[in-house]
Amino acid sequence: MRRGMIDDLWYKNAVLYCLDVEKYLDASGDGVGDFTGLTRKLDYLSGLGVTCLWLQPFYPSPNKDNGYDVADFYGVHPKHGTPGEFVEFMNHAEQLGMRVIVDLVVNHTSDRHPWFQSARKGPSSPYRDYYVWSKKRPKDHDKGMVFPGVQKTTWTRDAVSGDYYFHRFYEHQPDLDTANPKVREEIMRIMGYWLQLGVSGFRMDAVPFLIAEKGPDIGPKPARQDFELLHEMRDFLQWRRRDAILLAEANVLPRESLDYFGEKGDRLQCMLNFAVNQRIFYALASADVRPLVKALEDTYRRPHAAQWINFLRSHDELDLGRLSERQRARVFEAFGPSKDMQLYDRGIRRRLAPMLGNDRRKLELAFSLLFTLPGTPMLQYGDEIGIGDDLSLEERECARTPMQWSADRHGGFSTARRTVRPVISDPVYGYERVNVESQRRDPHSFLNWMERKIRMRKECPEISWGDWKIVPAEPGVLVMAYTYEKHRLICVHNFNDAPCVVRIDAATARDRLLVDLLDTHDSRAEASGRHVFELDGYGYRWFRAGGHDRNVPR
């Protein structure tokens, strides 16, 4: 493959950072984050090593679901600023060499959207067929809800039309009929608008539901999914901007992932790796890495240009639905033992630092693992300082609190009397103790540790581009060996709380010298031909075979 073709796939060696504009920085003083505030922090993010921002919805919305109930796909919510301020933000990001992807939420709209307001007036509306209607409530209306603890149905009677409309999510989010050619045209028009403003692609919300067949006779489990829609979107995307990407939220079984990527890589370029994500937390809870190894092997096969996006936490709950009952119980016991920490009996609604007991060793292990898994790492805003959560807030809002910048009032997020959500102020994770300003001044802080690891991760293209295999190791130890253009990287992680001895054959390493990229613990093979070294409890090593710089592919 020519080098120029490799360089085009920028997402292969990117560092993603997900944030909610509303919760990041308030520059106007009204208590709500805005684009002017975010623009001020782009230099901070660039210094951290972030190369691509994922912005959660910032569109006009009643905000009943954190902005995922969109009322206008072509606007900026006034609380976040003006379209002109969005363009200024995009311009500054471009100057820093930072890409931006935005949420594309087109499975449904808000019930306040003008399309739905017109559609509910009756069959004569030009937007009537944008949505899915039924004269009678289907018999399976109480099955297939995404939020079963809150939703009671997927079909709700509209008070204006008298008919029932379909909604896979909350009742204020009526589903669009994505089989309708006019709806597909609208989706392309939305994509084209934001691409013209400079975004580098889209994080696609709820993709399995977006492409599912919908209707009153379908039932809770659709029999057909229209993957051609993904192909059409990819074609349009790369016709408008050749290097833009589609990143899917699709929590599906690994064997189904190729349907989303496309066997020829002609559908989605990127998917969030939910299979690996859930097994990471089981490994952290149990020190049993076997399910994690299986998840990695199950997601090994993908088209060359496709990429998994790995993550620890996101803006949603930690979904444990793919684990066995025994495994799920183990994770609940370790990280969400009380009911107020759990959601829908399948997930945990907490931030990472509280889940890991604010244990620096465990936090470092988790992020070292994230940065060395095959694929591209994604951070959630605040992860870099070990931000906490507020369990007094409802559902997933507990992990969506404002960013903590300093020990000033409201953590430096806003000068307003009240903020959009309360800033955390408890004795352990409160902004007086956990904030960017204080951690930047401390060379041993978690923020500075994170910055150093991100810098090194970007210097390890073996992880993004190379082939890999699991190396057999002691129980509770994960050893991954990467090979790229005849170069070798070996990453070792100990999930046990006790020290252990790790043994790696020099033949596996393909060199008698392993250079520690993070510290001074180089390893030379013994006379027996094995590398033998001790790892602390929750310890980790990144080794390059042969030398620190000599074998770095460029």
Side-chain angles (χ1 to χ4, degrees):
M1 176 175 286
R2 300 194 315 273
R3 186 73 223 182
M5 293 175 67
I6 289 179
D7 287 342
D8 282 346
L9 305 184
W10 60 267
Y11 52 90
K12 283 277 190 173
N13 206 42
V15 176
L16 273 62
Y17 186 98
C18 175
L19 64 86
D20 184 351
V21 177
E22 181 181 70
K23 315 293 184 359
Y24 210 61
L25 183 67
D26 167 27
S28 65
D30 64 355
V32 180
D34 46 50
F35 276 108
T36 300
L38 176 56
T39 302
R40 293 177 185 174
K41 293 300 181 183
L42 285 177
D43 294 276
Y44 158 78
L45 290 165
S46 179
L48 180 62
V50 173
T51 62
C52 180
L53 294 181
W54 156 17
L55 301 186
Q56 293 180 249
F58 51 82
Y59 317 107
S61 165
N63 212 36
K64 292 183 178 180
D65 185 21
N66 206 47
Y68 284 88
D69 47 330
V70 179
D72 177 6
F73 290 108
Y74 300 100
V76 174
H77 198 298
K79 67 184 178 181
H80 299 315
T82 66
E85 287 166 341
F86 173 82
V87 171
E88 286 184 17
F89 153 75
M90 289 296 300
N91 183 56
H92 191 47
E94 183 180 7
Q95 291 172 357
L96 293 170
M98 191 179 300
R99 295 177 181 267
V100 177
I101 63 174
V102 299
D103 252 303
L104 184 65
V105 190
V106 288
N107 174 69
H108 51 264
T109 71
S110 165
D111 58 4
R112 306 273 186 90
H113 196 290
W115 297 344
F116 188 75
Q117 290 298 312
S118 172
R120 69 195 311 195
K121 292 178 182 178
S124 62
S125 166
Y127 297 103
R128 179 70 171 187
D129 292 337
Y130 274 40
Y131 298 90
V132 184
W133 299 91
S134 177
K135 288 292 184 183
K136 297 181 180 179
R137 176 177 275 180
K139 62 181 180 179
D140 292 322
H141 71 91
D142 57 348
K143 297 181 176 63
M145 290 88 71
V146 174
F147 307 122
V150 179
Q151 288 177 269
K152 303 203 182 300
T153 181
T154 57
W155 289 88
T156 293
R157 185 177 184 275
D158 176 51
V160 175
S161 69
D163 295 330
Y164 291 87
Y165 63 89
F166 178 69
H167 55 92
R168 182 65 72 180
F169 292 82
Y170 299 113
E171 67 179 51
H172 57 77
Q173 293 169 316
D175 269 39
L176 288 166
D177 183 1
T178 49
N180 183 339
K182 291 184 178 180
V183 172
R184 293 188 181 217
E185 288 178 14
E186 292 283 3
I187 291 174
M188 306 305 169
R189 193 171 292 119
I190 294 163
M191 292 170 62
Y193 177 84
W194 293 105
L195 288 169
Q196 197 68 27
L197 290 181
V199 305
S200 290
F202 304 92
R203 177 269 188 183
M204 296 173 59
D205 186 59
V207 177
F209 301 126
L210 173 72
I211 63 175
E213 187 177 15
K214 303 174 184 181
D217 301 321
I218 302 301
K221 294 184 178 180
R224 187 179 70 87
Q225 290 182 301
D226 185 5
F227 290 101
E228 180 58 25
L229 175 58
L230 301 182
H231 192 181
E232 292 174 12
M233 294 173 72
R234 170 73 174 272
D235 279 353
F236 179 85
L237 179 88
Q238 298 202 295
W239 175 66
R240 281 293 181 95
R241 178 169 177 168
R242 66 179 180 85
D243 62 346
I245 66 168
L246 295 174
L247 162 60
E249 178 202 32
N251 188 355
V252 298
L253 294 171
R255 66 174 179 268
E256 299 173 15
S257 61
L258 282 176
D259 291 330
Y260 290 82
F261 286 133
E263 287 282 354
K264 298 179 181 179
D266 56 353
R267 293 173 184 168
L268 304 170
Q269 290 102 327
C270 301
M271 289 177 64
L272 294 168
N273 198 332
F274 286 94
V276 167
N277 174 256
Q278 298 186 30
R279 277 72 180 190
I280 288 173
F281 283 91
Y282 178 70
L284 289 168
S286 66
D288 181 0
V289 301
R290 291 172 298 177
L292 175 57
V293 167
K294 186 176 188 306
L296 288 166
E297 292 174 341
D298 287 346
T299 54
Y300 174 86
R301 183 172 172 239
R302 66 179 189 273
H304 173 74
Q307 186 78 323
W308 288 109
I309 306 298
N310 297 305
F311 64 105
L312 293 171
R313 291 294 295 110
S314 71
H315 63 289
D316 284 329
E317 77 276 11
L318 169 63
D319 189 350
L320 304 174
R322 301 292 184 188
L323 299 182
S324 69
E325 287 190 21
R326 180 187 62 80
Q327 292 170 341
R328 193 180 310 125
R330 188 69 179 269
V331 178
F332 275 139
E333 179 185 8
F335 303 132
S338 63
K339 279 294 183 183
D340 66 337
M341 299 173 180
Q342 302 171 13
L343 199 61
Y344 315 133
D345 296 323
R346 67 165 188 250
I348 296 176
R349 62 180 201 114
R350 304 184 74 191
R351 279 277 197 166
L352 184 68
M355 288 175 65
L356 300 184
N358 211 27
D359 187 325
R360 177 69 177 265
R361 301 173 306 154
K362 293 181 181 179
L363 285 167
E364 287 191 10
L365 174 71
F367 281 102
S368 172
L369 179 68
L370 174 68
F371 292 139
T372 56
L373 287 173
T376 296
M378 188 275 285
L379 304 173
Q380 182 71 7
Y381 80 94
D383 278 352
E384 71 270 26
I385 58 173
I387 199 169
D389 49 42
D390 183 353
L391 293 176
S392 69
L393 298 176
E394 293 184 355
E395 294 191 48
R396 297 166 293 171
E397 295 304 312
C398 68
R400 299 170 176 174
T401 57
M403 183 63 174
Q404 297 167 197
W405 295 105
S406 69
D408 296 329
R409 187 166 177 260
H410 298 316
F413 164 72
S414 175
T415 59
R417 291 183 61 187
R418 297 183 63 183
T419 56
V420 61
R421 292 284 185 277
V423 182
I424 294 173
S425 58
D426 66 50
V428 178
Y429 302 101
Y431 64 85
E432 297 91 345
R433 294 190 59 181
V434 179
N435 62 72
V436 170
E437 186 178 271
S438 63
Q439 291 198 24
R440 294 185 88 168
R441 294 170 176 169
D442 177 3
H444 304 292
S445 70
F446 192 60
L447 175 62
N448 280 308
W449 178 90
M450 186 79 78
E451 182 180 329
R452 292 191 296 271
K453 299 306 171 290
I454 291 174
R455 184 185 307 121
M456 182 54 67
R457 169 62 181 81
K458 291 158 73 174
E459 295 178 16
C460 295
E462 297 98 327
I463 300 172
S464 297
W465 287 98
D467 195 11
W468 59 269
K469 70 175 184 179
I470 303 293
V471 178
E474 290 69 23
V477 177
L478 179 67
V479 181
M480 300 191 68
Y482 289 90
T483 304
Y484 178 53
E485 295 183 355
K486 299 182 180 179
H487 305 288
R488 194 76 161 170
L489 188 76
I490 297 177
C491 303
V492 187
H493 293 85
N494 179 18
F495 288 80
N496 300 291
D497 60 1
C500 71
V501 175
V502 179
R503 299 169 178 83
I504 301 174
D505 288 337
T508 298
R510 297 187 185 173
D511 208 299
R512 297 186 64 83
L513 172 64
L514 295 179
V515 174
D516 189 340
L517 299 183
L518 307 179
D519 211 321
T520 57
H521 304 299
D522 296 353
S523 176
R524 291 189 179 275
E526 297 179 340
S528 64
R530 289 190 304 180
H531 290 274
V532 181
F533 54 90
E534 185 172 298
L535 269 186
D536 292 337
Y538 305 119
Y540 52 91
R541 300 274 173 84
W542 302 10
F543 291 117
R544 181 166 279 128
H548 191 288
D549 296 318
R550 175 165 63 85
N551 286 335
V552 179
R554 287 287 180 255

